[in-house]
Amino acid sequence: MPDPAVSHRHVDLRGLRLHVAEAGPADGPPTILLHGFPEFWFGWRRQIAPLADNGLRLLIPDQRGYGLSDRPKGIAAYHLDRLAQDVIALADACGLARFNLVGHDWGGLVAFWVASFHPERVERLVALNACHPGVFGPYLRRHPGQALRSAYAGFFQLPLLPERLLSARRGHLLRALMRGSSRAGTFSEADLDLYAREWLRPGAVTAMLNWYRALARLPRDRHPPKIAAPTLILWGERDQALQIGLAEASLALCEHGCLQRFPQATHWVQHDAPEAVNAALIAFLRPS
C-alpha cells in the first residue's frame, strides 16, 4: 500500500521529466537519495520514515531511465556528466542552493561525481557500497579479483542479448540476482514483484543497461577534483560485486572522509541492516 507520508510528483528538468518521491518537513535540511541498479525510489523505503521523522527533507528521484522517469534514447544520454547534471537540475528546480547527497550503488557513483564537480552545492555526502568513478579503472587494473567480480558489466555491453535475458520470465534473472546477492529474506516476493513491474516498462531494461554502456565506452574526466564535503562511506562487507578496497581507494579522493563497515551486510546494506544504516545516516546528516 502507498505510504501516506510520501508524496509523488514529476519535475521538469528542461526537457527531462523525473518522477520524485518526497517526505519530511519542508524546512528540514534538504537531502537527495539516489538509488542504484536495478532499483527505483522504492529502494529507500526502509530509510524514508526514520530520516523524515528526524527532520530531513527528502527528495528521492527515479533516476533517468528508471521507474516513472523519462528514458532518453541512446547511450550518450547516460553519460556520467548528464546523470550528475540531473541532480543539480533537480536541486535547482526545487530551489535548493545546497543539499545533502546520499547514493547507493550506481547512485553512489553519481553522488561522488556531483560532489567532485559541484562542490559548492553539496553539504554532506554519503555513499553506500559505491566507489568514486575516478578510482574504479585504476583499481580494476591492479586487482584481478575485482575484474572477475565485474565480469557481468562486460556482458552488459553486448547488444540486445542482455535485454532479452533480463526481461525474460518477468525479470526472473534480475530477481535471482537480487535474492542471491542479499541476505535471506531481505527481498520478499512482493518486493520483487514491484521491482519487476518497473523493469518491464517499455525501454526500461535498455535504459538501465545504458548506464553501464556509457561508463565503459564514453570518455570522462580522468582526474576528478577531490571532494571537499564531509563524506561517509557505508559498506556491507559481504558484497559479492565490489571489493572493500574500492571504498578505501575512494577515501583518497575525499578531503574529509571516513568508512563505516557492516560485517554481516551485503551489497544491499540499507536493506540488510536498516536500523544501523539509518542511525549512521541520521548522526552524519543531522550532526549536533
Side-chain angles (χ1 to χ4, degrees), residues 132-143:
H132 195 299
V135 309
F136 188 75
Y139 186 91
L140 205 65
R141 290 189 287 273
R142 296 194 307 269
H143 297 85

Side-chain angles (χ1 to χ4, degrees), residues 213-248:
R213 292 163 177 162
L215 187 69
R217 302 181 195 181
L218 301 178
R220 61 186 185 278
D221 196 307
R222 294 180 178 272
H223 302 288
K226 274 196 168 187
I227 293 172
T231 301
L232 173 64
I233 300 177
L234 305 180
W235 200 273
E237 292 188 0
R238 297 190 176 186
D239 193 322
Q240 295 179 8
L242 302 173
Q243 294 180 343
I244 195 169
L246 286 164
E248 295 163 345

Side-chain angles (χ1 to χ4, degrees), residues 41-216:
W41 75 268
F42 182 70
W44 295 107
R45 64 193 177 280
R46 294 180 170 94
Q47 283 64 56
I48 292 174
L51 270 58
D53 290 347
N54 276 274
L56 295 171
R57 176 189 175 189
L58 304 179
L59 294 96
I60 316 166
D62 290 341
Q63 298 200 76
R64 67 164 62 200
Y66 282 87
L68 296 176
S69 291
D70 284 352
R71 306 186 219 291
K73 294 187 181 299
I75 293 172
Y78 299 89
H79 190 286
L80 195 55
D81 289 344
R82 293 198 176 190
L83 304 175
Q85 189 56 46
D86 287 348
V87 177
I88 298 302
L90 175 61
D92 289 344
C94 296
L96 310 180
R98 291 177 65 82
F99 49 87
N100 297 320
L101 191 53
V102 181
H104 170 248
D105 181 73
W106 254 108
L109 271 71
V110 175
F112 273 124
W113 209 245
V114 172
S116 276
F117 288 98
H118 302 275
E120 74 286 357
R121 305 301 296 272
V122 179
E123 194 73 41
R124 286 176 171 258
L125 171 67
V126 185
L128 294 82
N129 281 74
C131 68
H132 195 299
V135 309
F136 188 75
Y139 186 91
L140 205 65
R141 290 189 287 273
R142 296 194 307 269
H143 297 85
Q146 180 58 56
L148 289 173
R149 294 190 187 200
S150 301
Y152 69 93
F155 169 69
F156 287 170
Q157 303 302 313
L158 299 175
L160 300 178
L161 180 60
E163 279 91 334
R164 291 174 181 169
L165 290 179
L166 295 183
S167 300
R169 298 169 58 195
R170 296 193 56 79
H172 174 79
L173 190 58
L174 283 171
R175 291 171 186 256
L177 179 153
M178 294 182 76
R179 280 200 200 96
S181 59
S182 61
R183 292 170 64 177
T186 290
F187 296 108
S188 70
E189 196 63 31
D191 292 337
L192 294 172
D193 285 344
L194 285 175
Y195 283 116
R197 180 191 67 190
E198 303 306 319
W199 302 333
L200 297 175
R201 293 184 187 276
V205 171
T206 294
M208 292 157 56
L209 292 172
N210 279 346
W211 285 53
Y212 288 91
R213 292 163 177 162
L215 187 69

